[in-house]
Amino acid sequence: MGWYQPHTAAKATVTRDGQTLYLQPPGTDAAVPLEATAENKFQIEGAVTVTFETGKMTVKRRGGERVFAKEE
């Protein structure tokens, strides 16, 4: 959980409510639930995959991928 930032001013926020993780993409007002597919991998409606690794989060979609560094 926390804030993840690519090499721009945009930030994505990851929160947890109970057992569910939520991702609020940069520039949006609403968070979307992440569906777990593996220990550190999640998806959003089958169209976007989110992978967490030490200190970073990678978001992949048809248009490419974006890597966010975790803010301390």
Side-chain angles (χ1 to χ4, degrees), residues 16-66:
R16 183 174 69 182
D17 184 8
Q19 295 294 321
T20 305
L21 287 180
Y22 291 86
L23 172 67
Q24 183 174 342
T28 65
D29 293 329
V32 294
L34 297 174
E35 178 187 347
T37 59
E39 184 177 341
N40 66 333
K41 293 184 180 187
F42 298 82
Q43 69 178 4
I44 301 171
E45 298 177 356
V48 177
T49 61
V50 179
T51 305
F52 293 94
E53 297 176 82
T54 304
K56 71 178 183 176
M57 173 180 72
T58 303
V59 178
K60 293 182 184 179
R61 59 180 80 186
R62 280 188 291 174
E65 75 176 45
R66 197 168 187 186

